[in-house]
Amino acid sequence: MNGVAVSVFVFLFLLVTVLGFAAARWRRAESLESLDEWGLGGRGFGTFIAWFLIGGDIYTAYTFIAVPATLYAGSVVGFFAVPYTIVVYPLIFLFLPRLWSVSHRHGYVTPADFVQGRYDSRPLALAVAVTGILATMPYIALQLVGMQVVLDVMGIGTESTNWFVKDLPLFLAFAVLAAYTYSSGLRAPALIAFVKDTLIYVVILVAVLYLPSQLGGWSNIFASASESFDQFNTENADAIAAGETSARGMIPPAAAQWAYASLALGSALALFMYPHSVTGVLSTRNRGVIRRNAALLPAYSFLLGLLALLGFVAIAAGIQVENAQAAVPQLFENEFPAWFAGVGFAAIVIGALVPAAIMSIAAANLWTRNIYRAFINPSATHAEEARQSKIVSLFVKFGALAFVLFLPNKFAINLQLLGGVWILQTLPAILVGLYTRWFHRTALLVGWAVGMAYGTWLAYGVEVPGDPGSHFGGPLVFFPGTETKVYIAAVALLLNLLVTTVLTVVFRAMELDEGADQTRRDDYTADIGDAGVAEELDPHEPIHA
């Protein structure tokens, strides 16, 4: 344990802790006794704040660790995260302003609220809510995995054989996170995101400028990575041919190009189906904020591209770790001065706190609006909703903590793989529903169930290379009837859409009840100041959907 690095790390962590609690008074209304105030920050964030908040929500600590780790491990499709975060912004420029408008006109807080209003189907809204919660929980757990990797590299708790003492720093960090999120709601991660994103920008820019100068330049870094992969492929040629391990490389070969493309597109489509992404968007002041951020957020994609290259830098620096996710933290410890390594460690850990807070708020909002209010207490007031969401957000955080402490990290990673498959199955109800109500509500529910089941079954059947009989070995399968590998979630979504389309035709022919659409055409283009968009909420009044 390096005293200087730990001291810098502790100082920065305490700084964001103070900011987290101070956020309760930042841009505060009379009270936080409504989901609009506690869970959506008053729906008043402008372009500048939203840029930090949404960027901090999307580019997480696990992203910081996992993206370069895939390149360090020689994954030929590992760079897919960069094009997917480029492709996603034109998509959100088109459809998220429509979701913002209809949500503000009707007071929707979650994607499932919109689905309920659009299709008049509580079962379908429940399906969307449950899917969102299931997909978000392992996502929060992976933020803890990222924190755990950093703490291990720093040497905090690693000497103890007592599991409680070993994991006490992680527990304390999440207890602090739970406390200021409970107190300040979405304002806490919004304020902390300023520090988190500034630190990450500084660390990555310094890393991509300083480290190559110490390692012979980028040409030597790429040559070292290529030589390392070629050596591995030569030494393991028989195992690669037998399918016991995967070949390593820097550029996807022809056989992997559809896998690369489908991973990028499927992930882009899934990203803003996640409830925490929608929470960040609904917290903005008007439609223009969303569009401006769609134009400005690719700056983070540029940063992500630089970050990914640190996987190759770690190879050139001779970093040897059993767990590829430790490559970047170990690189920082070996190559940076101790004080700046502390800054880098703090950037990663704080990078876990912001998305974990937003994710727990989003999951709690889904429970409160689409399960508690829909099925348990339909007459709940705004204040009762806020109290319920605060309590559930604590359970979500500590549930994710228990996930990491008592189950193998591989389990959380496997569930995150499934989370991407599951959340994409809500796309027909949400994204398509923003433009047309042609799909029948019952067909959407059946299509969702088929996509969930088929995607889970496909993921379960993927073996880890070299481990016969294992499961959840990766995100790719052969497209049915071909020898081309593609993203599992995309295959499941295609079946979902096929089933939904066919059943819609059948159910319309049978004249099954379609329910009443609570939305109107002009709801999808409403902006701040229009009728019903900027209404003040009385936290003690019942909610009338």
Side-chain angles (χ1 to χ4, degrees), residues 5 19 100 148 151 277 349 403 409-410 424 473 540:
L19 288 176
W100 183 95
Q148 205 170 38
L151 294 174
S277 299
V349 170
F403 229 93
N409 286 350
K410 184 179 177 182
L424 197 55
H540 300 288

Side-chain angles (χ1 to χ4, degrees), residues 72 314-315 317-322 330 334:
Y72 174 83
I315 294 173
I319 300 298
Q320 298 291 330
V321 290
E322 292 184 8
Q330 194 64 56
N334 289 8

